Amino acid sequence: MPRPMPAGFKTAAFFIKPILLGVTRREWSGGENLPTDSGFIAVSNHMTYADPFTLAHYLYDHGQAPHFLAKASLFDIPLAGRGLRGLDQVPVHRGSARAKDAVDAAAKLLERGDSIAVFPEGTLTRDPDLWPMVARTGAARMALDYDVPVVPIAQWGAQHLLDPYGKRPHLIPPKKVVVRAGAPVDLTEFRGADRDIDTLRRATDRIMGSLTAMLEDIRGEQAPAVAWDMRREGGGR
């Protein structure tokens, strides 16, 4: 069984969930793929700043307390930062001496049987049609280092609730949001290998391949043969 839902998450859900129920029409599936006997890493595609809310809603509805790796700057906002810390969210200090703090904090959550939610792309996708980009290798590294499952969770529809990089949500009429969890990604062949960049890249590509295939099924469309790579294509949309 999932761990008991902490009181702080129940309190947050009391205020936030009714809003989400009012502005979305939810199509949840795949909840049976979420492990209940161990910690795991939930990885999802990232199209809009509304994604964390719809992903958190999905996880909460399936008995999982949503713990996100979030930009450290969010924790500097007085009320928001206090709330994030109270809910065991993990600040990420990119490019600083404290970058490893996020990994250590995430490891503690995984070891006690909680889930970590990660957007492996690290930012909103720059693909013009909102397909997943080439991802960072952090989620794969954590999965291999701590021997936990990686569950791909594809979502589609949150971009109609809030445009990519938009600030004004479109609340009326309610938007259909599809969120689907797939089976844990098979990373067996990488678990005994050296943690070099080639291993991490291949493991990451395996994860993103699973996520993209699920999104193709949801959208009824085919993704580009080559994923958008910010190192190659740049950051523009």
Side-chain angles (χ1 to χ4, degrees):
M1 296 293 292
R3 288 169 53 84
M5 188 64 64
F9 285 94
K10 292 182 179 179
T11 301
F14 178 82
F15 292 102
I16 299 173
K17 189 173 177 179
I19 299 173
L20 294 173
L21 290 174
V23 302
T24 62
R25 292 185 294 109
R26 296 149 307 286
E27 188 176 298
W28 292 170
S29 62
E32 69 278 4
N33 291 310
L34 302 179
T36 58
D37 58 352
S38 70
F40 67 95
I41 300 172
V43 297
S44 188
N45 53 309
H46 201 10
M47 305 169 293
T48 164
Y49 294 132
D51 293 333
F53 293 96
T54 50
L55 179 57
H57 191 179
Y58 177 87
L59 290 170
Y60 185 89
D61 276 0
H62 289 88
Q64 299 288 341
H67 300 94
F68 284 86
L69 271 65
K71 293 180 181 179
S73 58
L74 295 175
F75 291 76
D76 295 330
I77 303 173
L79 291 178
R82 183 176 179 180
L84 290 171
R85 290 187 180 86
L87 294 175
D88 280 342
Q89 306 303 297
V90 180
V92 179
H93 301 269
R94 289 181 182 167
S96 76
R98 298 184 60 192
K100 190 176 180 297
D101 291 353
V103 177
D104 294 339
K108 291 180 181 178
L109 291 169
L110 293 171
E111 288 170 354
R112 77 184 191 192
D114 281 316
S115 61
I116 292 290
V118 179
F119 296 109
E121 297 158 276
T123 186
L124 302 186
T125 181
R126 272 27 174 213
D127 182 273
D129 295 316
L130 302 181
W131 292 103
M133 300 188 296
V134 172
R136 301 169 183 263
T137 60
R141 180 183 288 277
M142 281 196 297
L144 297 176
D145 283 350
Y146 299 104
D147 194 25
V148 294
V150 175
V151 178
I153 302 181
Q155 57 175 327
W156 184 248
Q159 76 278 8
H160 301 309
L161 185 63
L162 182 66
D163 296 330
Y165 295 100
K167 296 182 179 179
R168 177 176 294 181
H170 310 293
L171 304 181
I172 301 173
K175 306 302 185 292
K176 180 181 178 180
V177 177
V178 180
V179 185
R180 180 182 303 171
V185 180
D186 185 2
L187 299 177
T188 305
E189 69 179 273
F190 306 112
R191 294 199 182 276
D194 293 335
R195 301 290 192 269
D196 56 34
I197 188 60
D198 179 66
T199 297
L200 295 175
R201 173 47 53 198
R202 288 190 294 122
T204 298
D205 291 346
R206 172 88 48 93
I207 293 167
M208 296 306 293
S210 296
L211 189 58
T212 301
M214 292 170 58
L215 192 59
E216 286 180 323
D217 188 57
I218 291 172
R219 294 175 57 169
E221 301 173 339
Q222 188 170 358
V226 179
W228 187 279
D229 188 341
M230 288 182 62
R231 297 168 300 177
R232 183 185 66 241
E233 310 286 354
R237 289 180 56 82

